[in-house]
Amino acid sequence: MYNCICVQCGTQFAESAQPPPSCPICEDERQFVRLDGQQWTTLERLAADHHNRLEDEAPQLLGIGSEPEFAIGQRALLLQSPGGNLLWDCISLLDQKTIAEVKESGGIRAIAISHPHFYSSMIEWAERFDSQIFLHAADRQWVMRKSPRIQFWEGTTLSLWDDLTLANCGGHFEGGTVLHWPAGASGTGALLTGDIITVVQDRRYVSFMRSYPNLIPLGPAAIQRILETIEPFPFEQIYGGWWKANVSSDAKAAVTRSAERYLRAIASAGNYG
Ligand SMILES: [Zn+2]
Ligand SMILES: [Zn+2]
């Protein structure tokens, strides 16, 4: 018996004697099965030729990503807060070196994840650090390895400690969640977004998609819902799902101007034909 990890999306599955027949997350229209078919690995095999890099993305915000890049290539963020550390998003690889380094940084009180593409090996992390996991209940069906450590929350917001707040924006996934960190950006506030609000190559802008690899846009109602959900929160910076994919200043205005540009682009009578 072992826990398979999907090579394409990095999701770890429940223990089984045989690899699962398919990966529902990759079969979904928001992801894809790789050209040479479904492939699986395990944590042990992954650790044999990958390691994690830990590097500060900002003060009190430690990035954790795998090298060479694995699956979707995201980096998680260990948010260090007086009331306890929150691991925002997650990655597939957890090895002894990472465990030691994260312990040195204060461990993990809880894990919160933006959406199913980053569920990865969350149960391994939660068990190793004795933490609970906050996931939005609307994405319950995408959990491939169940655990009593998962706490499904409902509604628009969930308050954690130190005024950290999870907010359900929907969009890319119905349960799509962002994290507001009021102490971030030197006390002016930061939003941690995964790709629920994704920071694009021009880091003065963000974008929003149902599927990034398959280029399926969102409609006006979904964009409006994202804007309304984040409206109550002040934030100067955004930390997206990948290394250095951050908006470093004026981030709330960046979301507004990005949404306006997006809505113009998808409007049938828009400026972009
Ligand atoms: Zn997959
Ligand atoms: Zn995604």
Side-chain angles (χ1 to χ4, degrees):
M1 298 287 277
Y2 47 91
N3 298 93
C4 280
I5 294 174
C6 173
V7 170
Q8 188 59 49
C9 71
T11 305
Q12 191 192 48
F13 282 60
E15 212 175 39
S16 59
Q18 298 290 328
S22 66
C23 172
I25 292 172
C26 286
E27 299 275 348
D28 175 55
E29 69 173 12
R30 284 165 283 200
Q31 260 292 111
F32 59 97
V33 176
R34 48 176 46 203
L35 191 57
D36 39 6
Q38 177 66 46
Q39 287 179 32
W40 303 98
T41 187
T42 61
L43 200 47
E44 212 172 39
R45 271 192 277 159
L46 187 60
D49 52 8
H50 288 72
H51 68 278
N52 288 337
R53 175 160 72 95
L54 283 73
E55 194 180 306
D56 282 329
E57 283 269 1
Q60 311 305 316
L61 199 61
L62 179 66
I64 309 173
S66 295
E67 291 184 344
E69 198 177 289
F70 176 69
I72 295 172
Q74 77 272 21
R75 55 105 180 84
L77 292 166
L78 185 71
L79 190 164
Q80 293 158 279
S81 195
N85 294 347
L86 180 85
L87 182 68
W88 171 250
D89 283 332
C90 200
I91 58 171
S92 302
L93 177 61
L94 180 61
D95 58 12
Q96 293 304 329
K97 188 164 175 287
T98 309
I99 291 166
E101 287 177 316
V102 169
K103 277 188 176 155
E104 260 172 49
S105 302
I108 299 170
R109 175 170 168 180
I111 301 169
I113 303 185
S114 59
H115 73 298
H117 291 151
F118 296 168
Y119 286 175
S120 59
S121 296
M122 59 180 173
I123 308 300
E124 297 284 342
W125 287 76
E127 287 182 349
R128 203 52 90 116
F129 291 98
D130 193 22
S131 19
Q132 71 181 142
I133 305 171
F134 295 106
L135 302 181
H136 197 277
D139 290 337
R140 186 190 289 263
Q141 71 183 106
W142 301 107
V143 173
M144 298 297 140
R145 182 179 171 191
K146 295 184 170 47
S147 166
R149 292 187 179 273
I150 300 174
Q151 186 182 320
F152 291 103
W153 63 280
E154 293 180 18
T156 307
T157 59
L158 180 72
S159 297
L160 303 175
W161 61 94
D162 295 341
D163 295 323
L164 295 168
T165 308
L166 298 175
N168 171 224
C169 290
H172 180 40
F173 271 81
E174 187 53 31
T177 297
V178 299
L179 172 72
H180 183 238
W181 177 30
S186 307
T188 54
L191 212 58
L192 280 53
T193 61
D195 63 0
I196 299 310
I197 297 172
T198 207
V199 178
V200 293
Q201 304 278 343
D202 176 350
R203 290 176 311 281
R204 296 168 303 169
Y205 286 85
V206 299
S207 195
F208 327 84
M209 295 285 264
R210 173 166 171 80
S211 170
Y212 294 94
N214 301 324
L215 305 176
I216 308 172
L218 291 170
I223 304 300
Q224 205 54 48
R225 177 176 161 197
I226 294 169
L227 292 176
E228 282 167 15
T229 306
I230 63 167
E231 175 46 36
F233 304 109
F235 59 93
E236 180 68 12
Q237 298 182 334
I238 289 178
Y239 292 88
W242 287 263
W243 290 111
K244 307 296 176 201
N246 311 320
V247 180
S248 58
S249 63
D250 206 21
K252 196 159 183 176
V255 177
T256 306
R257 65 174 168 261
S258 302
E260 285 166 2
R261 182 172 77 171
Y262 193 96
L263 291 169
R264 274 201 308 277
I266 60 171
S268 55
N271 298 333
Y272 295 81

